[in-house]
Amino acid sequence: MTEFEAVIGLEIHVQLATQTKMFCGCKPVFGEDPNTRTCPTCLGLPGALPVINEAAVDFGMRLGLALGCSLAERSIFHRKNYFYADSPKGYQISQYDEPLCSEGELAGVRINRVHLEDDAAKLVHTSETGRIHGAESSVVDFNRAGTPLAEIVTEPDLRSAAQAREWLQLLRTTVKALNISDVNMEEGSLRCDANISVRPVGQKELATKTELKNMNSFRFVEKGIEAEIERQRILLESGGTVVQETLHFDPRTGSLTALRSKEEAHDYRYFPDPDLLPVSVDSEMVERARAALPELPAARAVRYAETYGFEQELSERLGFEADLGDLFEAVLEIRGKASDPRLAATWVSGEVFSRVEQDAGSAIEASTLAELLELLEGERITTAAARQVLDRVLAEGGSPADIVASEGLEKVGGGDALAAAVEIAIAAHPEAAAKVTAGEHKALGSRRWWRGAQRNPCSPWRRVGFITWLNNPQRQRFHSQRRWSLC
Amino acid sequence: MSSDLTTLSASAASAKVKSGEVDAHELFEQWRERSRLDDLNALSWSADSVPAEIHTGGPLGGVPLGVKDLFCTEGVPSQSGSKILEGYLPPYSATVVDALAAAGAPLLAKTHQDEFAMGSSNENCAFGAVINPWDRGRVPGGSSGGSAAAVAAGLVPWALGTDTGGSIRQPAALCGVVGLKPTYGSVSRYGMIAFASSLDQAGPITNSVADAALLYSQMTGRDVHDSTSVDHPDPVSEVPAADLTGVRIGVPTELSGEGIESGVLDAFNASLELAKSLGATVEPCHLPHAPHALSAYYLIAPAECSSNLARFDGVRYGLRVDPGEGLDAMYGATRSQGFGPEVRRRIMLGTYALSSGYYDAYYGRAQRVRTLISQDFDTAFESFDVIATPTSPCVAFELGSKTDDPLSMYLSDFCTVPMSLAGIPAISIPNGLSEGLPVGLQLVGPAFSENRILGIAASLEAAIGFDGSAARL
Amino acid sequence: MIDRSEVLHIARLARLSLEETEIEAITAELSSILDHVDQISSLDLEGVEPTAHSVAQSGALRPDVPVESLGKDAVLSQAPATDGSGFEVPSPGGGS
Ligand SMILES: [Mg+2]
Ligand SMILES: [Zn+2]
């Protein structure tokens, strides 16, 4: 039985987050009223002309540099001619044989090129099914038309669907670190097509490939490529031949459908756009782009692993999410050498990250987190209390030390300290204490109280419940079961 | 009734408005009346009323302007002579139209043209052929035939045309007026409905070299909307007639012998003698690749047009013909019925020249020939100040006489196409009559030498002493 | 020079539907034009660079500063068919 291997190359389109479109001054904003972000140029009106956006060139250069590409001193925009309702001019302005960036590498996958082009409009199909076939008519919204795209083309260096997905995720974090795109697959600011072929292991030549489109999440990229590899393998094993075609992956059914047959293969008639002159990149522009490069995710992860001895997962979590990495490093900086990097790392990548998802950097100041970790590391508060303080800080702001003091969260060990803490609690919540004194406290021992206290551990009920609990003969057992804090 | 202001030259009228002698609104109104006399099908639109505001303070002093149909004019039909754009009202105006209005040349009329500027006779206009005011059985030339005929007939004081391979110069020659094709890039193309982007250039069509210089002086400058536009290193202001003493005129043998009508050649040689008598030296020169210019042009221009005209697809503006069989059928029906035969022919030719397997042989080679043609001119300008040729190999021909043979029509551009490929400026001035019909003399200079060629043209214009009044309606 | 099937292919690429009666005529016209322009194939172009533009050599870039877009009414006003918010087009999948 012949063993087969898959050969995969990716073509990734990244929408660049510039202030204006690729060739006109319209703002590429999404979710606006249809056709309200358009002008003669991006609508393809008669007589309108394109003018290249300097920020798009700058972003393209940053991307090229980040992927280890060489930058062309002179690059050219071509016209790629094709008719479709999403194409306002009847051609896309794209780079062809003289792209802005070429020959790079990311994590062992060679980059063939990075070039700039303009995005197409959005076609809304009005049929009930929402699918192209069977639709009565469609409506075109040109707001997206002309949005700058960087297209990244890899060499066919990937060998499995899982590897393709992993690599694409690294590419995403790399682009995100550059701060040039939202790189959101669901929203279409990151789009991936795959060229897939399958050949017997040991064969050098590339086999006939197919192009797989429309995979709008990382999961679908993996599933789609997997499905296509499987289809080709079965085809080859049964003595069939692969036909060069473009396929559409339907994530709901997992099925692959041919988009157009080979007789209709496009002839794009590329030629240099006569409305545009070649783009000259001088050393000043290159230096500016280079200066704007942050430390890249892969390099950062390696640095964390080497410097702090973190395992791969933790290193990558911090390295690949620039916001988290930045926060981690800022906290270490504030706390100095004496502090524990792993504590900071796990808090940043765990507690902070889970609370604020992707937005960590903007949600908490490094100094605040450093203060909190200092309290925790100095064993002045318990982990549970630290979590509460973090919740408070994220919701309302304020200083952790102040919150600990005003809420009496400091760790207590029993005896006099405990009694003093109870006195504070009673003084702070006289009404609740009065109810307890009046005998309502029995109700407080119920499960309902306990659930409520869990939901809102800093409530007066929790505090008064504590008094009740002091009278509970089981308290020593409870105490030993969980570390608690005094609210 | 005040005096007839429409008999004044544009420059003279401009001076009188600026000095306060003539009221700009009165001037506009009289020209508006004149434009109504059009029985040549020269105009596609003319103003209903006098604009409330005319920038009389500007350098052009409020002298109204005729504008070729293919310039976008906000809210005014801009159809590029095509059925596919019939009645199209753009939401913006071409940079040069706005610039001229701001300089004091308000829009008076739009002029008919060959469809998408493809043609040398104006018979390719979807709204009917324009007629030559010198002889109503003849063509005015093209593609800016409406502008040339309107200026010659006195329907507008001056006009804008565009030139891709001779479309300003050839109709100017055939109608007995002045036409300047400027250096490529010196005038913004933004808002000009494109034919061939690397060649298209707007320029003035006027009754005199002085008028051409005045109008052109307000057209130049880099436009942020056109990245192929540049600032003119030697902007034109007032152009005094040049002293021809010692001016070296080169006459390319390739463009002044074979294929030129004898009457045209006689007039050409007579003017060269005049130039000599004024102190110029006249010697033969060589543009060895000029005979290949037409071939290169008829690959490059159609290739660019096949792409430029892809946007006419029945979706956002213009004609739509929908047989109800899906998007592609709508495209096919719209474009087949919306474009005339010459436009379709050139789209086909250009699509072929760019298509897979043919690019290198056709488009790629043509771009290399273009390099050689430019180099020929560079070499010639090492020895000559200016190059002179007949503008058109023939005088105005009879309507319908060349419509069946596209290739013979293409040969009308024989003398004008090389300069377009090289992007260099060239002016056509009236050079007397042959068999009662105007002949043109073309003067060509290096890039941005407009001041020089306008000056030389002004001297020759004075010496030739052409009288165009017979064409006035 | 150019045959019927090429003419049909080119017409398809250019989205021009040709009537059966036109095909022969346009094939002949294109052949005669191509015959003429083919004279450039005799030139020795070895080492000659192509010229895409004659004058300026590289273009100025545009600063990334937004400008006002057109109003929606102006955008849709010339459209052959709209639904009030966008341009209506026949279904890309319809017909064949
Ligand atoms: Mg692309
Ligand atoms: Zn726009």
Side-chain angles (χ1 to χ4, degrees):
Chain A
M1 193 84 195
T2 324
E3 283 267 353
F4 288 98
E5 72 168 354
V7 178
I8 304 157
L10 301 180
E11 284 178 26
I12 301 105
H13 287 87
V14 173
Q15 274 182 346
L16 299 177
T18 47
Q19 291 300 303
T20 67
K21 292 183 179 181
M22 186 69 226
F23 298 113
C24 66
C26 293
K27 268 187 169 170
V29 178
F30 302 101
E32 299 279 320
D33 230 11
N35 295 299
T36 54
R37 296 287 185 183
T38 61
C39 73
T41 297
C42 58
L43 279 171
L45 296 193
L49 297 172
V51 184
I52 301 164
N53 180 348
E54 105 189 316
V57 174
D58 181 44
F59 284 14
M61 290 194 294
R62 285 193 220 172
L63 184 50
L65 289 170
L67 299 178
C69 294
S70 43
L71 304 186
E73 275 176 36
R74 177 178 179 274
S75 67
I76 293 183
F77 281 95
H78 275 63
R79 291 187 183 176
K80 178 183 182 180
N81 294 282
Y82 71 96
F83 283 90
Y84 198 62
D86 66 5
S87 168
K89 307 178 293 295
Y91 54 85
Q92 180 186 34
I93 305 177
S94 180
Q95 297 193 295
Y96 182 54
D97 53 2
E98 295 185 53
L100 186 64
C101 322
S102 49
E103 290 180 12
E105 190 241 277
L106 176 69
V109 174
R110 288 169 303 152
I111 307 292
N112 175 287
R113 60 195 279 137
V114 178
H115 72 243
L116 299 173
E117 58 188 28
D118 56 350
D119 205 349
K122 216 169 190 162
L123 201 54
V124 185
H125 304 290
T126 56
S127 71
E128 288 158 286
T129 60
R131 294 186 61 235
I132 296 178
H133 293 279
E136 287 298 305
S137 68
S138 307
V139 172
V140 197
D141 170 11
F142 287 92
N143 282 356
R144 192 181 71 176
T147 301
L149 295 177
E151 180 175 334
I152 302 157
V153 181
T154 77
E155 297 293 348
D157 288 348
L158 295 155
R159 291 291 174 271
S160 76
Q163 194 197 359
R165 173 194 177 143
E166 246 172 59
W167 187 85
L168 184 63
Q169 274 166 329
L170 173 62
L171 177 72
R172 179 188 178 276
T173 61
T174 304
V175 178
K176 194 164 190 321
L178 295 172
N179 208 16
I180 58 171
S181 171
D182 300 337
V183 280
N184 184 319
M185 284 199 92
E186 284 76 16
E187 288 171 12
S189 51
L190 174 69
R191 307 200 280 265
C192 181
D193 302 336
N195 291 305
I196 302 161
S197 63
V198 165
R199 65 183 173 192
V201 171
Q203 180 181 309
K204 283 271 190 298
E205 311 83 68
L206 293 171
T208 306
K209 66 182 180 189
T210 56
E211 194 183 2
L212 191 53
K213 287 194 180 285
N214 190 47
M215 299 172 290
N216 58 2
S217 75
F218 289 100
R219 204 160 59 87
F220 294 156
V221 166
E222 186 170 348
K223 280 181 73 179
I225 294 175
E226 195 68 69
E228 175 56 10
I229 292 170
E230 192 58 11
R231 188 189 70 87
Q232 290 191 21
R233 194 182 56 77
I234 291 169
L235 195 64
L236 293 175
E237 276 175 356
S238 63
T241 46
V242 174
V243 177
Q244 186 165 350
E245 59 189 344
T246 302
L247 300 165
H248 171 107
F249 175 66
D250 184 342
R252 284 175 307 170
T253 60
S255 67
L256 297 155
T257 22
L259 278 182
R260 52 182 98 83
S261 60
K262 65 176 173 190
E263 308 79 79
E264 288 240 4
H266 275 133
D267 180 349
Y268 290 122
R269 290 156 284 137
Y270 280 99
F271 75 109
D273 190 333
D275 287 332
L276 295 168
L277 296 165
V279 180
S280 288
V281 170
D282 57 26
S283 54
E284 194 186 317
M285 290 165 78
V286 176
E287 282 324 305
R288 204 179 336 133
R290 208 185 290 281
L293 288 190
E295 182 187 20
L296 296 170
R300 206 173 203 183
V302 168
R303 179 165 61 85
Y304 291 155
E306 285 174 355
T307 313
Y308 305 112
F310 296 162
E311 56 277 21
Q312 190 184 348
E313 197 187 330
L314 183 58
S315 303
E316 288 187 351
R317 183 135 221 198
L318 294 174
F320 289 7
E321 286 293 340
D323 290 342
L324 296 182
D326 290 347
L327 182 59
F328 164 66
E329 291 187 35
V331 168
L332 279 195
E333 172 88 31
I334 294 166
R335 301 225 39 229
K337 289 215 161 58
S339 68
D340 176 10
R342 181 172 292 275
L343 180 75
T346 50
W347 267 77
V348 166
S349 68
E351 300 293 341
V352 173
F353 180 72
S354 65
R355 279 170 176 76
V356 293
E357 292 296 323
Q358 314 270 325
D359 221 12
S362 60
I364 187 164
E365 293 287 335
S367 57
T368 310
L369 185 59
E371 191 182 319
L372 179 64
L373 293 179
E374 190 168 354
L375 293 170
L376 182 61
E377 218 174 323
E379 296 199 31
R380 291 180 54 205
I381 53 174
T382 62
T383 300
R387 289 195 184 107
Q388 290 166 24
V389 174
L390 182 60
D391 285 334
R392 263 291 278 278
V393 165
L394 290 174
E396 298 162 26
S399 140
D402 290 351
I403 294 169
V404 167
S406 70
E407 299 294 328
L409 284 174
E410 197 132 0
K411 207 185 224 177
V412 288
D416 288 350
L418 199 59
V422 172
E423 286 310 313
I424 293 169
I426 293 168
H429 306 289
E431 277 178 37
K435 283 184 183 171
V436 172
T437 317
E440 288 179 31
H441 62 279
K442 280 173 194 144
L444 298 176
S446 71
R447 293 170 72 87
R448 204 167 50 144
W449 165 76
W450 181 239
R451 277 203 303 275
Q454 276 180 314
R455 272 202 299 277
N456 190 2
C458 292
S459 77
W461 289 107
R462 171 81 162 91
R463 288 156 188 274
V464 175
F466 177 74
I467 300 165
T468 315
W469 178 69
L470 281 178
N471 298 321
N472 185 336
Q474 301 293 313
R475 72 178 184 267
Q476 290 312 314
R477 190 168 63 82
F478 190 85
H479 191 189
S480 65
Q481 274 173 355
R482 50 188 295 134
R483 299 180 69 188
W484 50 270
S485 66
L486 186 59
C487 276
Chain B
M1 172 82 195
S2 51
S3 66
D4 184 356
L5 300 173
T6 67
T7 57
L8 294 169
S9 77
S11 311
S14 159
K16 283 185 190 295
V17 172
K18 282 187 275 186
S19 72
E21 212 179 310
V22 162
D23 174 60
H25 291 80
E26 171 65 17
L27 180 69
F28 193 101
E29 180 55 25
Q30 286 198 19
W31 275 110
R32 211 177 67 79
E33 292 294 326
R34 275 291 302 173
S35 72
R36 299 276 183 240
L37 301 178
D38 176 27
D39 60 357
L40 305 168
N41 195 37
L43 307 182
S44 60
W45 174 90
S46 65
D48 294 332
S49 57
V50 180
E53 248 181 87
I54 299 176
H55 297 269
T56 52
L60 303 182
V63 180
L65 183 69
V67 171
K68 192 177 182 179
D69 197 12
L70 63 68
F71 288 90
C72 285
T73 42
E74 188 177 343
V76 169
S78 306
Q79 316 165 116
S80 205
S82 183
K83 188 177 158 192
I84 211 162
L85 276 180
E86 186 166 3
Y88 172 64
L89 303 175
Y92 77 110
S93 291
T95 298
V96 65
V97 171
D98 275 345
L100 290 177
L107 179 65
L108 169 68
K110 297 291 291 282
T111 63
H112 275 313
Q113 59 170 92
D114 281 303
E115 184 177 6
F116 288 107
M118 297 175 204
S120 310
S121 71
N122 237 293
E123 292 161 295
N124 298 333
C125 178
F127 310 104
V130 179
I131 287 163
N132 192 318
W134 289 85
D135 178 341
R136 286 165 182 261
R138 289 175 190 264
V139 304
S143 66
S144 308
S147 285
V151 171
L155 297 170
V156 298
W158 50 12
L160 277 186
T162 63
D163 192 310
T164 306
S167 280
I168 285 175
R169 293 161 285 163
Q170 186 255 15
L174 269 47
C175 292
V177 294
V178 173
L180 171 68
K181 183 208 92 78
T183 307
Y184 181 86
S186 70
V187 181
S188 168
R189 293 182 297 112
Y190 187 69
M192 264 167 60
I193 300 173
F195 163 18
S197 311
S198 75
L199 300 163
D200 293 345
Q201 193 62 197
I205 294 180
T206 59
N207 276 305
S208 71
V209 174
D211 287 358
L214 180 58
L215 196 56
Y216 178 64
S217 72
Q218 300 307 308
M219 294 171 65
T220 58
R222 187 177 135 59
D223 176 12
V224 292
H225 291 113
D226 176 1
S227 53
T228 62
S229 70
V230 289
D231 275 323
H232 203 297
D234 181 21
V236 169
S237 51
E238 225 167 295
V239 179
D243 178 358
L244 293 190
T245 310
V247 169
R248 300 164 301 168
I249 299 177
V251 179
T253 50
E254 295 83 2
L255 302 178
S256 56
E258 207 187 326
I260 314 281
E261 262 177 26
S262 64
V264 171
L265 216 46
D266 290 347
F268 178 64
N269 289 326
S271 292
L272 294 178
E273 288 307 315
L274 260 183
K276 280 190 212 165
S277 73
L278 293 170
T281 63
V282 177
E283 277 172 47
C285 71
H286 287 287
L287 299 171
H289 298 93
H292 293 285
L294 213 58
S295 297
Y297 176 83
Y298 275 98
L299 290 166
I300 293 169
E304 292 182 9
C305 98
S306 72
S307 177
N308 282 335
L309 269 55
R311 64 186 60 195
F312 300 99
D313 60 3
V315 175
R316 285 139 299 137
Y317 41 79
L319 180 75
R320 169 183 290 192
V321 182
D322 186 5
E325 292 160 16
L327 184 65
D328 273 345
M330 188 279 278
Y331 285 154
T334 299
R335 292 167 57 78
S336 294
Q337 294 181 39
F339 293 135
E342 180 61 26
V343 171
R344 278 181 293 169
R345 192 176 296 130
R346 294 203 198 182
I347 291 174
M348 292 284 289
L349 186 58
T351 304
Y352 185 69
L354 290 174
S355 67
S356 170
Y358 294 102
Y359 181 93
D360 290 338
Y362 289 126
Y363 191 74
R365 281 189 85 78
Q367 295 284 51
R368 290 182 160 78
V369 173
R370 188 174 188 173
T371 306
L372 296 177
I373 288 166
S374 285
Q375 288 171 354
D376 285 355
F377 279 111
D378 291 345
T379 307
F381 288 127
E382 285 170 12
S383 315
F384 297 96
D385 298 307
V386 66
I387 284 171
T389 78
T391 309
S392 161
C394 58
V395 292
F397 40 92
E398 282 173 16
L399 284 158
S401 63
K402 293 188 181 182
T403 39
D404 290 341
D405 183 1
L407 201 55
S408 78
M409 188 74 90
Y410 295 176
L411 292 170
S412 320
D413 299 334
F414 181 67
C415 295
T416 48
V417 154
M419 301 78 194
S420 294
L421 290 171
I424 55 179
I427 190 169
S428 178
I429 60 169
N431 190 27
L433 301 174
S434 165
E435 297 168 33
L437 293 166
V439 173
L441 169 66
Q442 177 174 234
L443 298 166
V444 185
F448 304 110
S449 66
E450 278 84 357
N451 270 307
R452 187 94 176 118
I453 61 171
L454 283 162
I456 295 169
S459 303
L460 287 172
E461 176 188 48
I464 292 165
F466 180 78
D467 177 8
S469 59
R472 189 175 167 91
L473 286 177
Chain C
M1 194 88 229
I2 181 170
D3 62 25
R4 182 191 159 90
S5 74
E6 281 178 309
V7 165
L8 291 175
H9 172 64
I10 295 301
R12 162 81 193 142
L13 283 178
R15 296 298 187 277
L16 292 169
S17 8
L18 299 181
E19 299 285 333
E20 189 53 42
T21 50
E22 290 175 283
I23 298 171
E24 204 174 315
I26 198 150
T27 307
E29 284 164 1
L30 291 180
S31 289
S32 102
I33 297 166
L34 288 168
D35 239 3
H36 182 87
V37 301
D38 205 40
Q39 59 171 258
I40 62 167
S41 66
S42 67
L43 287 170
D44 178 10
L45 299 175
E46 191 66 39
V48 178
E49 285 294 311
T51 297
H53 280 100
S54 44
V55 178
Q57 288 315 305
S58 73
L61 304 177
R62 176 176 57 80
D64 188 26
V65 179
V67 297
E68 193 88 25
S69 291
L70 289 171
K72 189 158 95 175
D73 292 344
V75 169
L76 296 176
S77 71
Q78 303 294 302
T82 81
D83 71 346
S85 74
F87 298 87
E88 250 175 10
V89 291
S91 153
S96 59

